[in-house]
Amino acid sequence: MEIVYTLNDLKAVAKQLIENIRSKTLLLYGDMGVGKTTLVKAIVEELGSIDNVSSPSFSIVNEYKTVDYLIYHFDLYRINGIEEAYNFGIEEYLYSNNWSIIEWPDIAKDILPKHFDKIELSINDDNTRTLHINNI
Amino acid sequence: MSSQNIYILGIESSCDDTAASVIYNGKILSNIVASQKIHEEFGGVVPELASRAHQQNIVPVVHQALAKANITKEQLNAIAFTRGPGLMGSLLVGTSFAKSLAYGLNIPLIDVNHIQGHILAHFIDEEGFEKPPFPFLAMTISGGHTQIVRVDNHFDMTVIGETIDDAVGEAYDKSGKILGLGYPAGPEIDKRAQHGNPKAYKFTKPKVDGLNFSFSGLKTAILYFIQREVKANPNFIEENLNNICASIQYTIIGILIDKLKLATKQTNIKHIAIGGGVSANSGIRQALKNGEQKFGWTTYVPKFEFTTDNAAMIAIVGYLKFLDEDFASQDVMASARLKI
């Protein structure tokens, strides 16, 4: 499915996104500046966490808490190979039955759980964003 | 035991680097970070820069720290290690190693919060560097952190402001990426900024309430600005790089200084201690010096090797906790989301 939105609609978009995904593993695609981390902030809030969502670009993984689950928020941009991903224990996170939201996910594509949701973000000329969800 | 002859080994493995340090009564005797040099000396493999496996590095790094300090492990009084926050896989290596070593030597184990380490690095005895008096404000600025912490005592700290999205070092790195500079981009932007006009281009400062920071919007503003200009003139970046860098740096420093001004006003504390890798930035140092004259601040910047991720800061926290006899049990676990 496809959603076109502005930053003011983020809360509603996050709600709609959560209703339309089929897994707890979300792969986030989109160029720098398109608003990936901003969208994650809205998703995490919608999932019921009050934790401060910040960029994991340096830390690689941030963890947020909801009542029932943890949410792992990855940025794999700095990871140079699958070996590095194994070194920080990526499969422990991915197969923990918690939420995984992954920015720049390509490096992990061979070790993902069977079902995941692909979310693609792009920016339009009028500064709105388009979001595509693919259940895989 | 005498409080006069305390040797503590500090171990840091929270993110990319594996590090070990020996401290003797508050003075650092060795401060080692895993690097190719160690691998050369120990004849081992040289892994890719970013993929250092802590497991390969930890033993040589600890050996090197003890050798440089000219002591044997039997002389150690305690082992301090980073418990968190950080990457779980990385933390586990340091935690398990520290627990085993302390158990084997039958000496106390001390768990350290990495963020407290950045702040308490100011209490390392180092000639020419003054220690801040309590209470003071600590601003940690790095690739992963942007925080203002009110410090009332060594272990009485309150976070009063932090980033709600990107860290300041990330703002530098991502701006650098947009401009086609290498990683990390902070040092080059800083260098070029000194030859450019800081008011050449204006970027709007984010509106964030209170003492929190935001740098994500700035990154996006810079991205769109560059895309627009490059459309009109494909050579825009090359022709104006120094001015662009100076304007970015000017905006970032403005954001940091505005928040510090607000923090000093709200808390009435004028002693400001800076930590984290971005504290090496010459523009930020200059702005802090100006703040001393303009606003009556006293600012403290530790020696550079104690500002980036390092084990000396873990060792000093270990020493301070040792004096308080604040030890960890063998049941202690690494904690990826440890808070102050």
Side-chain angles (χ1 to χ4, degrees):
Chain A
M1 69 171 295
E2 184 179 305
I3 310 172
V4 178
Y5 66 99
T6 72
L7 289 181
N8 297 330
D9 312 326
L10 267 173
K11 197 177 156 55
V13 171
K15 191 163 183 285
Q16 204 180 345
L17 183 146
I18 290 165
E19 285 163 0
N20 284 284
I21 51 178
R22 306 264 174 80
S23 74
K24 286 198 289 191
T25 306
L26 313 186
L27 273 47
L28 226 50
Y29 290 87
D31 293 337
M32 179 162 72
V34 74
K36 293 186 293 297
T37 303
T38 310
L39 179 65
V40 174
K41 212 178 248 291
I43 297 173
V44 168
E45 201 181 311
E46 200 56 38
L47 289 174
S49 174
I50 53 164
D51 287 344
N52 175 30
V53 173
S54 61
S55 163
S57 294
F58 182 82
S59 55
I60 314 288
V61 193
N62 289 345
E63 295 184 27
Y64 317 115
K65 235 186 187 141
T66 71
V67 179
D68 310 308
Y69 293 103
L70 288 172
I71 304 168
Y72 299 124
H73 177 196
F74 298 80
D75 181 337
L76 302 183
Y77 189 82
R78 291 198 307 135
I79 300 293
N80 290 319
I82 193 67
E83 199 58 34
E84 268 187 54
Y86 281 128
N87 278 343
F88 80 76
I90 189 166
E91 75 282 29
E92 305 276 340
Y93 292 100
L94 291 179
Y95 292 89
S96 64
N97 203 29
N98 287 306
W99 287 86
S100 295
I101 308 179
I102 313 174
E103 300 186 35
W104 303 103
D106 271 346
I107 205 95
K109 64 181 187 303
D110 296 333
I111 53 169
L112 292 171
K114 197 169 161 207
H115 295 290
F116 53 86
D117 288 272
K118 220 169 150 174
I119 295 158
E120 285 162 287
L121 291 181
S122 56
I123 183 159
N124 307 312
D125 287 339
D126 60 357
N127 210 23
T128 59
R129 267 62 168 176
T130 299
L131 178 157
H132 279 281
I133 303 173
N134 274 312
N135 312 118
I136 292 172
Chain B
M1 67 190 83
S2 153
S3 63
Q4 290 307 303
N5 291 300
I6 310 296
Y7 289 98
I8 290 172
L9 173 70
I11 294 170
E12 151 68 27
S13 72
S14 64
C15 196
D16 291 350
D17 300 331
T18 320
S21 169
V22 174
I23 195 167
Y24 170 68
N25 294 346
K27 201 169 166 46
I28 297 298
L29 300 181
S30 63
N31 184 27
I32 310 292
V33 179
S35 68
Q36 292 190 334
K37 208 162 159 260
I38 284 176
H39 291 287
E40 280 163 23
E41 283 176 30
F42 284 82
V45 288
V46 181
E48 264 179 82
L49 201 66
S51 73
R52 290 186 186 126
H54 294 286
Q55 295 174 56
Q56 283 174 15
N57 289 341
I58 195 150
V59 172
V61 165
V62 167
H63 271 295
Q64 173 113 342
L66 291 170
K68 178 106 191 289
N70 204 19
I71 64 163
T72 63
K73 58 183 183 301
E74 287 73 22
Q75 286 172 272
L76 291 170
N77 298 85
I79 311 289
F81 69 97
T82 304
R83 184 181 167 213
L87 275 174
M88 192 45 103
S90 303
L91 290 168
L92 277 173
V93 176
T95 305
S96 317
F97 184 88
K99 279 163 112 171
S100 321
L101 189 56
Y103 186 73
L105 294 169
N106 197 21
I107 55 175
L109 177 68
I110 300 170
D111 61 312
V112 174
N113 179 313
H114 179 90
I115 309 283
Q116 284 191 340
H118 273 302
I119 294 168
L120 295 176
H122 287 275
F123 292 90
I124 292 170
D125 284 337
E126 187 69 36
E127 221 170 293
F129 291 84
E130 237 184 289
K131 294 169 189 162
F134 300 115
F136 65 90
L137 297 177
M139 184 165 80
T140 306
I141 42 178
S142 71
H145 307 288
T146 306
Q147 283 195 315
I148 303 178
V149 178
R150 181 194 163 109
V151 186
D152 286 287
N153 214 322
H154 288 135
F155 297 104
D156 182 2
M157 303 182 181
T158 320
V159 178
I160 58 173
E162 63 189 334
T163 182
I164 59 166
D165 41 56
D166 297 358
V168 60
E170 201 178 332
Y172 274 103
D173 287 335
K174 290 195 170 159
S175 303
K177 185 172 150 40
I178 294 166
L179 297 173
L181 306 177
Y183 177 92
E188 185 168 356
I189 292 178
D190 184 23
K191 212 165 113 195
R192 291 185 172 277
Q194 290 161 41
H195 304 288
N197 172 9
K199 295 189 174 163
Y201 310 106
K202 195 169 159 47
F203 301 107
T204 320
K205 283 187 202 161
K207 291 180 192 67
V208 188
D209 286 343
L211 295 173
N212 284 342
F213 299 88
S214 168
F215 289 100
S216 172
L218 176 65
K219 165 192 75 189
T220 313
I222 293 168
L223 177 69
Y224 294 161
F225 166 76
I226 295 292
Q227 282 177 345
R228 203 169 57 232
E229 296 294 333
V230 167
K231 222 175 196 172
N233 169 15
N235 298 321
F236 177 76
I237 294 178
E238 297 83 78
E239 288 170 11
N240 300 286
L241 192 51
N242 290 350
N243 281 350
I244 302 169
C245 288
S247 302
I248 293 172
Q249 169 125 316
Y250 178 79
T251 311
I252 291 177
I253 292 173
I255 295 168
L256 295 175
I257 297 294
D258 282 354
K259 293 294 179 178
L260 273 182
K261 271 159 66 179
L262 186 60
T264 54
K265 200 174 150 198
Q266 282 186 3
T267 59
N268 212 18
I269 298 171
K270 292 192 167 183
H271 290 274
I272 299 170
I274 306 297
V278 181
S279 65
N281 182 289
S282 67
I284 289 169
R285 285 176 178 234
Q286 189 55 49
L288 290 170
K289 278 270 162 276
N290 296 344
E292 297 200 334
Q293 284 156 16
K294 265 169 47 194
F295 314 120
W297 297 348
T298 311
T299 62
Y300 305 82
V301 186
K303 200 174 170 188
F304 181 67
E305 66 174 291
F306 303 144
T307 63
T308 52
D309 284 356
N310 67 86
M313 67 183 200
I314 305 306
I316 182 68
V317 180
Y319 176 65
L320 294 169
K321 281 187 138 180
F322 188 92
L323 297 181
D324 287 351
E325 294 185 32
D326 183 0
F327 304 135
S329 84
Q330 278 284 334
D331 300 336
V332 68
M333 302 221 286
S335 171
R337 30 182 283 128
L338 194 63
K339 301 265 193 278
I340 282 183

